[in-house]
């Protein structure tokens, strides 16, 4: 099994400055919470659920058998009501819910009351004008504008299930996701501001939308005033749609297990998985985790840099902070526009207090140099966070010193699209930090590192990261593909009569002597590029769709900035003209970017005569991985069908 080489000796206790402004538990109090939650998890989760306002309070807590658990199933609740209305009768009524900065520098502040008005008007428009009903799926394909959050909340308010698709995905990727979820309505924009350019969004997807038969309406928000061709009867501008709509809206309570959203993520086969989250359990876990991990105080301004197209943008841009009544900061554009100091400048201008970003961004800023953060006053910051991939200790130290001025704890938060919310993380008021580890599971969670037989690994022995007991925010299924749901998460440790199955995360990890979890990355064919998850199979199926390509295998090699970089091995079809070959790597990179989106673009394309395969025809990606990382192959190659292929691949490398 995997073992680790370096031992991290540095320790960081919660700083005095942080503790002075925090109301979180100290170490002793946290241990009590942990013990109590472990003794009776259901009572613990029931208490967390009581922090929400239910239209009908649930009597049930956990029901059903894993992997088909339900949470609070007899309760009824409205997600938008909990994010907005509950604050309107408090001192938060006129508090900023959203402070937004557009890339060109325009600023908008939206209070909880104003958010309520916008969401209510849009909710009415969706039901009355567009005929969206309970359980209908609404696609959202937008940039980082307040209307994206408003759209999500309006869907939630009327019981429509939102399916947010990252605005950086191509029209084809959008089409596939809308078709898979049978979306009835799409909400999009004329264009987005990115790196100083207004890029069309609606016009770029028009031809793909023709191939979505379920789509009845497209709502277009005008942001860049770009020409968007509107299809009569189908397309409508946002402003026209909400004109004259009632600003009051009665929020209905939906069953706790009503689908709140579908979010697509990559798996180890070609087709993205539609992760389905439901309402009551998800909200319970979102509120609980946001509160305990980010220690929200009323004066905080929380900046989570994630796009709403990812789960982080769902749980910690939208639902978690708003459930807690926090103020969120949203930024529309590129972090390097007009200069590489944009984040730091906005932290000073808006006095942001909590900053949550990804290791790939931290490593990028680290390379750009201290000059940029040093230009600005970062003293408003009190807490920093990291998410998406393991943060290497060097980047952690830089983050702590240069951004946090050794005053701010760092919460390294581990979770997944599937888990719905943060599951492993420090509690900033209590946990002694070690750079490079997400530390321990949150109270209420039963998480372990086990060997292939399901037995707990000894300290510092690498194994597989599993979740042993169900949790409220867990995914309920893969939309429309129950078989894959079982296969992907529940078949590795199927359990027995006496033992419930374990949820398998797909991650490798080890636990140290203090019970801290060190995540060692994916053990399947999923790779983490700049904190975004990609299935290598997805990229492979895109490559073989090109007329010049016969076969393709994609593997990852470590990359200093992005975490991993993609290397594609490509076998060409016999009829490809020799003079065309030299240009192909660039052509194929662009091809993948167009098919899936720029994030999936291979960093390197290697044209080769053959791929190493087993006798049964399976590509031995392990060997390719070794070739791209160390240049040599080790271990067992006896199942390899054609040994000469391997020799040739090594030579290609030289
Ligand atoms: C995968 C999930 C959760 C939001 C962003 C990614 C990796 C995530 C950490 C962390 C080490 C991490 C895992 C996980 N990952 N956070 N703090 N330390 N690895 O969500 O796209 O569903 O990806 O990201 O490999 O399985 P996602």
């Amino acid at each position: 099994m995997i073992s680790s080489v370096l031992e991290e000796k540095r320790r960081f206790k919660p700083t005095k400055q942080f503790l002075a402004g925090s109301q979180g538990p100290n170490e002793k109090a946290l241990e009590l919470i942990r013990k109590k939650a472990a003794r009776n998890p259901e009572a613990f989760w029931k208490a967390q659920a009581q922090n929400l306002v239910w239209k009908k309070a649930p009597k049930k807590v956990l029901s059903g058998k894993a992997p088909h658990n339900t949470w609070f199933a007899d309760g009824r609740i409205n997600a938008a009501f909990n994010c907005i209305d509950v604050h309107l009768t408090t001192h938060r009524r006129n508090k900023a819910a959203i402070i937004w900065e557009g890339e060109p520098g325009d600023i908008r502040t939206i209070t909880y009351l104003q958010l309520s008005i916008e969401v209510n008007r849009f909710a009415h428009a969706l039901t009355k004008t567009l005929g969206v009903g309970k359980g209908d799926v609404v696609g959202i394909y937008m940039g980082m504008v307040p209307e994206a959050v408003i759209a999500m909340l309006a869907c939630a308010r009327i019981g429509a299930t939102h399916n947010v698709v990252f605005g950086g995905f191509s029209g084809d990727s959008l089409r596939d996701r809308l078709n898979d979820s049978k979306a009835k309505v799409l909400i999009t924009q004329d264009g987005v501001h990115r790196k100083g350019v207004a890029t069309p969004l609606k016009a770029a997807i028009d031809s793909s939308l023709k191939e979505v038969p379920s789509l009845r309406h497209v709502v277009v928000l005008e942001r860049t005033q770009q020409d968007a061709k509107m299809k009569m009867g189908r397309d409508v501008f946002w402003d026209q749609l909400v004109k004259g709509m009632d600003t009051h809206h009665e929020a209905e309570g939906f069953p706790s297990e009503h689908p709140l959203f579908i979010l697509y993520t990559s798996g180890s086969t070609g087709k993205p998985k539609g992760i389905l989250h439901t309402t009551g359990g998800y909200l319970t876990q979102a509120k609980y985790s946001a509160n305990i991990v980010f220690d929200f105080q009323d004066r905080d301004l929380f900046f989570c840099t994630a796009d709403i197209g990812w789960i982080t943008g769902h749980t910690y841009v939208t639902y978690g902070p708003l459930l807690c009544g926090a103020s969120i900061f949203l930024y529309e554009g590129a972090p390097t526009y007009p200069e590489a100091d944009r984040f730091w400048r906005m932290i000073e201008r808006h006095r942001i207090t909590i900053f949550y970003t990804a290791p790939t961004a931290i490593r990028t800023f680290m390379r750009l140099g201290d000059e940029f953060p040093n230009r600005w006053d970062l003293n408003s910051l009190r807490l920093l966070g990291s998410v998406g991939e393991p943060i290497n200790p060097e980047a952690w130290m830089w983050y702590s010193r240069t951004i946090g001025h050794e005053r701010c704890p760092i919460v390294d938060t581990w979770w997944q699209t599937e888990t719905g919310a943060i599951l492993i993380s420090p509690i900033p008021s209590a946990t002694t930090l070690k750079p490079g580890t997400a530390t321990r599971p949150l109270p209420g969670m039963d998480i372990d590192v086990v060997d292939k037989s399901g037995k707990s690994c000894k300290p510092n022995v690498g194994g597989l990261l599993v979740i042993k007991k169900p949790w409220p925010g867990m995914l309920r299924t893969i939309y429309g593909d129950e078989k894959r749901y079982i296969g992907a998460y529940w078949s590795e440790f199927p359990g027995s009569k006496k033992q419930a199955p374990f949820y398998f995360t797909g991650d490798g990890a080890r636990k140290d002597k203090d019970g801290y979890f060190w995540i060692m990355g994916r053990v399947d064919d999923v790779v983490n590029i700049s904190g975004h998850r990609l299935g290598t199979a997805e990229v492979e199926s895109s490559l073989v769709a090109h007329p010049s390509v016969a076969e393709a295998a994609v593997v990852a090699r470590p990359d200093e900035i992005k975490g991993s970089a993609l290397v594609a091995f490509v076998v060409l079809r016999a009829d490809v003209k020799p003079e065309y070959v030299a240009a192909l790597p660039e052509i194929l990179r662009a091809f993948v970017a167009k098919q899936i989106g720029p994030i999936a673009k291979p960093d390197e394309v290697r044209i080769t005569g053959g791929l190493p395969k087993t006798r049964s025809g399976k590509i031995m990606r392990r060997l390719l991985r070794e070739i791209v990382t160390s240049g040599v192959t080790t271990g067992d190659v006896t199942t390899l069908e054609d040994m000469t292929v391997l020799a040739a691949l090594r030579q290609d490398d030289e």
Side-chain angles (χ1 to χ4, degrees), residues 10 57 60 101 115 260 265 380 433 520 551:
R10 287 169 287 202
K60 292 184 180 165
E101 196 170 305
L115 182 63
L260 181 62
T265 189
S380 57
L433 307 173
M520 297 156 89
E551 279 184 294

Side-chain angles (χ1 to χ4, degrees), residues 265-266 310-312 356 359 386-391 411-419 421-422 424 436-438 465 505-508 518-522 526 528 531-534:
T265 189
S266 297
W310 311 111
I311 189 69
T312 311
Y356 186 36
S386 166
V387 61
E389 57 181 308
I391 175 166
V411 286
D412 173 359
T413 62
W414 179 92
W415 58 300
Q416 309 179 297
T417 306
E418 291 86 345
T419 68
I422 295 169
I424 308 180
T437 162
L465 186 70
T505 62
D507 279 358
W518 297 76
I519 310 296
M520 297 156 89
R522 305 288 306 189
V526 172
N528 203 320
H532 298 312
R533 213 162 113 178
L534 267 180

Side-chain angles (χ1 to χ4, degrees), residues 83 95-101 108-112 115 144-146 148-150 152-153 290 296-298 300-304 306 308 312-331 350 352-354:
C83 289
K95 170 181 172 170
I98 301 174
I99 297 177
W100 173 80
E101 196 170 305
R108 278 166 71 189
T109 300
I110 300 172
T111 65
Y112 273 96
L115 182 63
M144 288 301 283
V145 289
V149 174
I150 292 166
M152 289 167 84
L153 292 170
F296 287 130
Q297 311 292 322
D298 252 323
D300 277 321
L301 182 57
F302 179 59
F303 182 16
C304 167
I308 48 140
T312 311
H314 283 57
T315 313
Y316 301 107
V317 170
T318 305
Y319 292 106
L322 296 179
L323 287 168
C324 295
S327 298
I328 57 174
F329 179 77
L330 288 187
Y331 170 57
H350 301 278
I352 289 162
T353 60
I354 308 173

Side-chain angles (χ1 to χ4, degrees), residues 16-48:
K16 276 195 212 80
Q17 294 99 316
F18 179 79
L19 290 176
S22 160
Q23 282 162 22
N26 63 18
E27 202 177 349
K28 232 171 104 193
L30 178 65
E31 284 321 301
L32 286 178
I33 300 173
R34 238 185 244 293
K35 282 215 183 89
K36 206 172 148 199
R39 224 178 295 129
N40 190 348
E42 286 191 43
F44 176 79
W45 291 120
K46 186 177 177 183
Q48 304 314 318

